Amino acid sequence: MRHDRGAARARSKTAATWLAFLGGAFGLHRFYLHGPRDAWGWLLIPPTLVGLWGVQRMRALGQDDVLAWFLVPWLGLTLAITMLQAIVYGLTPRERWQARHDPEGRTRPWPWLDVIGVVGALAVGAIVLISTIAFVAQRTFESLAPQSKSQRLAP
């Protein structure tokens, strides 16, 4: 979804990278680039809140809460997606960024901050994605594994 009316406002690549890295799960980078009416920004919030609710349920009720098993991965997937967006923003060539978000070249380039944001997003995104896959796989295999004989006999 491209908004040409937002192209007149200068938007910093560094700011967009760091907003995606630090607040991407709540759509902050999307609202920064495209304004408060951006549908994709608003669509990031529900899975984030659902995932946070799952984390809260798991902390309160323990790891055996089946509903939390379903809810927590939504947070992981949202975080992984927004980390990818931070990486894409940070690695976008300056000329392409200026053509789309800063046509007059009003923002100051901070290439080292872009690199640090990309490295951080890569590290966090990889950890979150691998953890989410491991969490889902573990819960799936635990639910499908047959109970041992001693567990079946226990009252």
Side-chain angles (χ1 to χ4, degrees):
M1 182 177 300
R2 188 171 180 188
H3 302 284
D4 291 327
R5 62 181 168 79
R9 300 178 304 179
R11 295 296 182 227
S12 165
K13 182 172 106 164
T14 303
T17 300
W18 280 91
L19 284 171
F21 179 46
L22 299 174
F26 293 101
L28 297 182
H29 61 293
R30 298 286 311 182
F31 298 135
Y32 172 71
L33 291 174
H34 305 290
R37 299 171 117 183
D38 184 63
W40 290 109
W42 288 108
L43 287 173
L44 288 169
I45 297 172
T48 300
L49 295 177
V50 164
L52 289 172
W53 179 41
V55 170
Q56 184 273 332
R57 282 185 61 95
M58 191 169 285
R59 292 186 71 177
L61 303 173
Q63 292 185 3
D64 293 332
D65 182 34
V66 177
L67 182 58
W69 293 2
F70 176 73
L71 299 176
V72 170
W74 287 99
L75 177 62
L77 292 175
T78 304
L79 287 172
I81 289 167
T82 57
M83 293 304 109
L84 179 62
Q85 289 177 326
I87 293 166
V88 169
Y89 292 161
L91 294 178
T92 300
R94 186 180 330 156
E95 296 79 23
R96 186 170 175 198
W97 185 269
Q98 284 180 338
R100 186 164 187 184
H101 298 290
D102 188 15
E104 296 175 10
R106 290 186 284 181
T107 63
R108 184 173 177 190
W110 296 89
W112 287 106
L113 285 177
D114 294 344
V115 170
I116 293 168
V118 167
V119 169
L122 182 61
V124 170
I127 291 168
V128 166
L129 184 60
I130 291 168
S131 298
T132 301
I133 292 169
F135 178 82
V136 170
Q138 177 186 357
R139 296 300 172 197
T140 301
F141 291 134
E142 285 177 359
S143 68
L144 296 176
Q147 293 181 343
S148 68
K149 192 174 189 179
S150 62
Q151 289 176 333
R152 281 183 268 151
L153 298 175

